[in-house]
Amino acid sequence: MLKIIIALGLILLAIGGGVAYQKTQTEPMVLATSYVFEQQRALAPFTLADQYGNAFDNQSLQGKWSLFFIGYTACPDVCPTTLNKLAAAYPQLQKIAKNIQVVFVSADPKRDTQAKRLDYINFFNQDFIAVTAQHADLFPFSRDLGFVYAMVGDGSDYQVDHSASYVLVSPRVEKIAVFKPKPQPGQLAQILNAELIADFEQIVKSWQ
């Protein structure tokens, strides 16, 4: 009888431990600046070109965490501010996931030539990637990520209105989360680096 009682006790202990473990694993993340998609959908096939003229496609994302941001090199405020912030956050993001890559998507292929994108992105961080394509390919790709952009103005001095969020793609090439800027009174809406890093760490740990 004593053996039966001990056996039952061990079984109950194992069940209890399993329930506790499951609760730990399924606890919702507390995210400060991001939203994780319930349905993580694979990106549609695409082909862009990076700052070295090499093809950048779905295969370029395999096995890597990819953080995307859209803009253009003539952007007067949002883009340089964002890339400066991402350059500052990059070492911490790498500590969380060594295989992270930051990808700047130019929504201005007419003016943002390969040479201009190379000079521009190298100013912020030589590890970053700067890609673009003609609008016929760029528009469906950006829309697939959830970005929007539009040319504003006439002549050669037009500006480009564009999203200011970041989109995170998993090593399985699935769109997993979006980081959204918060309004700042009298300032540009920004994604705070501390919140970006904290959210990124939670997302990566949860995904693994």
Side-chain angles (χ1 to χ4, degrees), residues 75-120:
C75 179
D77 41 34
V78 175
C79 296
T81 299
T82 298
L83 286 169
N84 265 321
K85 290 172 68 67
L86 287 173
Y90 188 59
Q92 293 299 317
L93 297 175
Q94 282 186 306
K95 289 181 180 179
I96 299 166
K98 293 181 180 179
N99 57 340
I100 186 172
Q101 57 183 359
V102 175
V103 186
F104 171 69
V105 181
S106 169
D108 190 9
K110 183 178 180 180
R111 295 182 298 191
D112 287 350
T113 62
Q114 176 188 331
K116 183 174 286 188
R117 282 182 284 118
L118 177 61
D119 289 342
Y120 186 75

Side-chain angles (χ1 to χ4, degrees), residues 140-161:
F141 170 74
S142 60
R143 183 176 57 186
D144 197 22
L145 284 175
F147 292 139
V148 294
Y149 70 90
M151 278 41 185
V152 179
D154 300 320
S156 59
D157 293 329
Y158 62 86
Q159 294 187 336
V160 183
D161 281 350

